[in-house]
Amino acid sequence: MDIKRDITSLDVECGAGAAEGPVGQPPARAASITLTWRALSYSVPGRRRHGGRVPLLSNLTGCLLPGQFMAVLGPSGCGKTTLLDCWGGRKTLGSLEGQVLFNGQPPTPALLRRHELKHPRSMPRADKVQRVEALVDQLGLSTCAHTTIGSVLRRGISGGEAKRCNIGIALVTSPKVLFIDELTSGLDSFYGGEVALVVQDLVRRHSIATAASIHSPSPTTFALFDSILLLQRGAAVYFGPNGAGTPVPRRKPSRHPAPPHPHPAPPDFLVDVTTRAPGDPEIQQAFAAAYAASPLAAENARRVEAVFTSLAQQAGGADGGQGSQTVGGASAGACCFLPCCGEASQCSRGASSCVGLCRGEEAGTGTPLWWALLVLYRYRTLRAIKRAGFIMPRTGDKIMITFLIATIYWGIGDSQALADVSATAAVLFLWSTLTAFTSMGILPCLIVERPVFLRERADGLYRPITYLVYKVTEEVAVGTLPAVAYSALVFYLVRLQGSFLLFFLIYYVSMCVAISLSLLAGAISPTVDVAGAVLPAYATTLMFFSGFVIPWSQLPSYWRWYATINHIRYALGAMLINQFEGERNVAYQGGQQVLQFYGLAGANKWLWLLFESLFFWVFSTACWAALAFMRHQRR
């Protein structure tokens, strides 16, 4: 995967869903968006002896206008990322008080659907390519435009190039609101300034309300920002225009320390002066108190109130009161959250920055399912099937086991000798459990792709059901032709009896069930380690209750319920009936016939195949629910 393809793919191709205007007219674009926040505070649970709550943000009020480029400054741990998370509705823990509004309204899915943040799907491909090429050039990525991004196991572009690629993915779609955490981290001073300049240009040209947290920007980069929000211990020390007056009012603390350098850069000076003596938080609190009592703070409050009032009137009236919401809880006051990019802000390499396109996760998407699937197949599947690292985990183990079964049990399937009948039943047992274990090769895919999935979902490129259909159909398509070959080799070389069609269908349905189960395990597991422990353990329990290790008649009554929800039992049962029905149902152990011994007398093999297929829909539905509603990250 190279940089141009990564930027061009889903974010441009799936982009949109903006309503198209009359024929001959350009599609309607969303209006500019103003972000406002008032009396915003955020706290997390703490030790009871410390009051039970730990405040991370304290009584912040302000606004971010369309076309404004704002820097969020402060030392590490001051609350910069927390503030961006609260604006973007990404917090899943803690309690948030106050209001966060977009254009004077809570950022509901309906509101976000009216303000599409993507280019329309009708945008000509030539325009998309031209836009990507221009952005690649602006970000200084031309020299590595066709270089592999890379991964943990494969070296690719550098960390700084990955960061710029990540930012390009966000910028290529011209969002109306953009949050960038650590804008220049991982970049040298030159490219840091270039990236900031590109962002500023897009902010101006597309009227994007943009806020970026930043550490130690160069004076040139710092000058690109229109306004500054300087934080200390979650409180505002300064909020206002960049370069207008001094960041600290005249009523500054008496213990104001001298700056460490005679002529520091402006942003370093601002942070250094307000952060001195970290062991004495009273100095930092004094700066915050001085700002809160300053005329600038009063003027900011009046300006924010005017913006609130104007937007509320435009929206037909909005709740002017303050509210609170316990994040992740049942309470839902006037404070609303806008689900943003989540931890999915990374590009395919997984850059560490967080670039969020503010867009509701539950707002859906204007991209039709069929179009999103075509784009996913084009940019993901067609590239994946060319990689040995994708194909081998899905075929290598099955080839080996098929070879072992076919050569060890060669030609015994048509024999009615007791030993051969027992061995044939063992072959069918091995074959019915094959996919349950070999499908674990796809287990990590959802976990590895989760950051990209969350970012693309938050960007409105597709819904969870679209992604699930894509993953299932991709895996099934890759496994279909090999499934025919494996089934034919085992059936004919072992000389199994009955219907080959049913034998193949049982394997094929078992493969689909195993794929959906593996995807479910990946969706519900927070890490690969957890999934790798849970799925094999579950598959092993299914073997005990499949009807082969312990026949149905010998199962304890209190465990029979588990056998009835065992998809391997239905696969094995259908194959045993297919192999031994009719005159092939010979005497077996204890004077019983084969099917009677396994508790299958009178059972219908096609009905049991139907029972097994139901597990595919059960596991797929559970996987969709996990993708749609589970949140693994707690922040």
Side-chain angles (χ1 to χ4, degrees):
M1 183 182 295
D2 60 43
I3 292 174
K4 278 190 176 180
R5 286 180 177 176
D6 193 62
I7 296 180
T8 306
S9 58
L10 288 175
D11 288 293
V12 177
E13 296 290 348
C14 267
E20 298 183 10
V23 177
Q25 297 183 12
R29 290 291 290 163
S32 299
I33 293 180
T34 297
L35 170 66
T36 49
W37 61 96
R38 182 168 58 180
L40 186 64
S41 299
Y42 175 74
S43 61
V44 294
R47 295 181 179 179
R48 293 184 178 179
R49 63 180 181 180
H50 293 153
R53 307 296 303 179
V54 177
L56 300 183
L57 298 176
S58 302
N59 197 31
L60 300 178
T61 296
C63 62
L64 181 61
L65 304 178
Q68 189 176 53
F69 193 19
M70 184 176 72
V72 183
L73 293 174
S76 298
C78 71
K80 298 189 297 298
T81 300
T82 299
L83 179 58
L84 296 183
D85 286 344
C86 290
W87 285 340
R90 296 171 54 205
K91 287 298 182 186
T92 57
L93 296 175
S95 177
L96 190 147
E97 299 178 349
Q99 288 185 312
V100 176
L101 300 179
F102 287 72
N103 275 0
Q105 300 183 54
T108 61
L111 170 67
L112 295 168
R113 278 194 291 268
R114 291 197 300 271
H115 293 281
E116 292 289 345
L117 306 185
K118 291 292 179 186
H119 292 295
R121 187 164 48 88
S122 59
M123 182 179 183
R125 177 170 177 78
D127 293 347
K128 300 174 184 178
V129 174
Q130 181 181 10
R131 179 172 180 79
V132 169
E133 289 179 346
L135 192 59
V136 166
D137 182 66
Q138 287 176 307
L139 291 170
L141 296 171
S142 299
T143 58
C144 57
H146 297 287
T147 303
T148 299
I149 289 179
S151 64
V152 177
L153 300 178
R154 184 181 181 184
R155 183 174 177 81
I157 60 178
S158 68
E161 290 167 339
K163 174 65 176 283
R164 280 176 274 153
C165 179
N166 188 30
I167 293 176
I169 291 173
L171 295 179
V172 73
T173 54
S174 299
K176 289 302 176 184
V177 183
L178 178 63
F179 299 149
I180 307 178
D181 195 7
E182 303 296 348
L183 173 64
T184 59
S185 65
L187 304 177
D188 56 37
S189 59
F190 175 79
Y191 280 120
E194 287 294 299
V195 167
L197 186 61
V198 171
V199 174
Q200 186 208 45
D201 178 61
L202 290 170
V203 167
R204 297 284 192 271
R205 288 193 289 111
H206 299 283
S207 193
I208 306 172
T210 303
S213 67
I214 192 167
H215 272 110
S216 300
S218 66
T220 303
T221 301
F222 184 68
L224 298 175
F225 292 97
D226 303 311
S227 59
I228 302 169
L229 175 57
L230 180 59
L231 298 177
Q232 284 291 352
R233 290 181 173 266
V237 173
Y238 173 78
F239 175 56
N242 185 2
T246 58
V248 183
R250 292 180 180 179
R251 294 171 58 184
K252 59 187 178 182
S254 58
R255 289 187 291 169
H256 169 46
H261 305 292
H263 300 289
D268 294 333
F269 174 81
L270 296 177
V271 175
D272 288 349
V273 166
T274 58
T275 315
R276 305 298 291 171
D280 186 3
E282 294 182 3
I283 295 179
Q284 299 170 353
Q285 294 172 359
F287 276 114
Y291 165 73
S294 69
L296 177 61
E299 176 61 27
N300 284 336
R302 286 192 296 269
R303 184 162 59 95
V304 171
E305 287 298 327
V307 173
F308 263 87
T309 302
S310 174
L311 292 174
Q313 291 174 351
Q314 295 175 16
D319 182 10
Q322 296 184 7
S324 65
Q325 176 169 341
T326 300
V327 182
S331 173
C335 177
C336 298
F337 294 90
L338 179 68
C340 198
C341 68
E343 58 277 319
S345 53
Q346 299 132 352
C347 64
S348 298
R349 171 173 176 164
S352 60
S353 65
C354 175
V355 179
L357 300 180
C358 288
R359 175 179 180 84
E361 288 191 28
E362 305 308 326
T365 173
T367 306
L369 183 145
W370 65 269
W371 179 262
L373 288 176
L374 286 178
V375 175
L376 285 165
Y377 295 144
R378 176 180 180 181
Y379 287 96
R380 301 277 173 84
T381 304
L382 292 182
R383 275 184 274 172
I385 59 177
K386 298 176 183 178
R387 303 196 313 263
F390 178 85
I391 296 298
M392 288 307 298
R394 292 160 173 79
T395 58
D397 49 1
K398 298 179 182 64
I399 292 174
M400 180 185 66
I401 294 176
T402 299
F403 172 77
L404 291 175
I405 291 177
T407 54
I408 294 175
Y409 297 98
W410 189 295
I412 68 168
D414 59 352
S415 172
Q416 295 187 357
L418 181 60
D420 290 337
V421 169
S422 179
T424 301
V427 169
L428 299 179
F429 169 69
L430 292 174
W431 194 245
S432 65
T433 60
L434 172 63
T435 57
F437 288 93
T438 57
S439 65
M440 293 179 189
I442 70 173
L443 184 60
C445 70
L446 278 191
I447 302 174
V448 173
E449 294 178 11
R450 183 177 292 152
V452 177
F453 160 71
L454 292 176
R455 176 181 65 80
E456 292 172 345
R457 177 190 172 187
D459 285 354
L461 302 184
Y462 47 70
R463 297 179 176 88
I465 185 62
T466 306
Y467 182 73
L468 176 61
V469 171
Y470 154 65
K471 294 304 297 182
V472 171
T473 54
E474 178 185 61
E475 298 295 343
V476 170
V478 170
T480 297
L481 288 180
V484 176
Y486 304 149
S487 300
L489 287 172
V490 170
F491 188 85
Y492 290 109
L493 293 181
V494 181
R495 295 184 183 178
L496 297 176
Q497 305 298 298
S499 168
F500 170 73
L501 175 62
L502 179 64
F503 183 79
F504 164 71
L505 289 177
I506 293 171
Y507 176 82
Y508 192 72
V509 171
S510 298
M511 179 186 73
C512 295
V513 172
I515 288 172
S516 62
L517 177 59
S518 295
L519 293 176
L520 171 60
I524 65 176
S525 301
T527 64
V528 175
D529 293 338
V530 173
V534 170
L535 186 56
Y538 173 68
T540 301
T541 65
L542 297 179
M543 295 173 61
F544 282 100
F545 300 95
S546 63
F548 179 80
V549 178
I550 305 176
W552 174 262
S553 60
Q554 300 178 20
L555 274 177
S557 58
Y558 50 83
W559 274 117
R560 291 191 176 184
W561 66 271
Y562 193 61
T564 60
I565 59 172
N566 184 345
H567 65 89
I568 293 180
R569 174 174 177 255
Y570 295 105
L572 174 61
M575 282 193 287
L576 286 171
I577 298 171
N578 187 54
Q579 173 69 25
F580 295 109
E581 65 183 347
E583 61 182 14
R584 298 188 301 275
N585 190 17
V586 297
Y588 194 44
Q589 299 183 22
Q592 296 178 307
Q593 294 177 315
V594 178
L595 297 182
Q596 183 182 7
F597 176 79
Y598 288 111
L600 299 172
N604 186 298
K605 58 185 179 182
W606 295 101
L607 184 60
W608 278 52
L609 175 62
L610 175 63
F611 289 157
E612 185 192 15
S613 66
L614 296 178
F615 286 87
F616 169 78
W617 300 106
V618 172
F619 293 147
S620 296
T621 301
C623 184
W624 165 81
L627 290 173
F629 303 112
M630 286 193 69
R631 298 292 182 270
H632 293 287
Q633 188 180 42
R634 296 291 182 264
R635 47 185 310 142

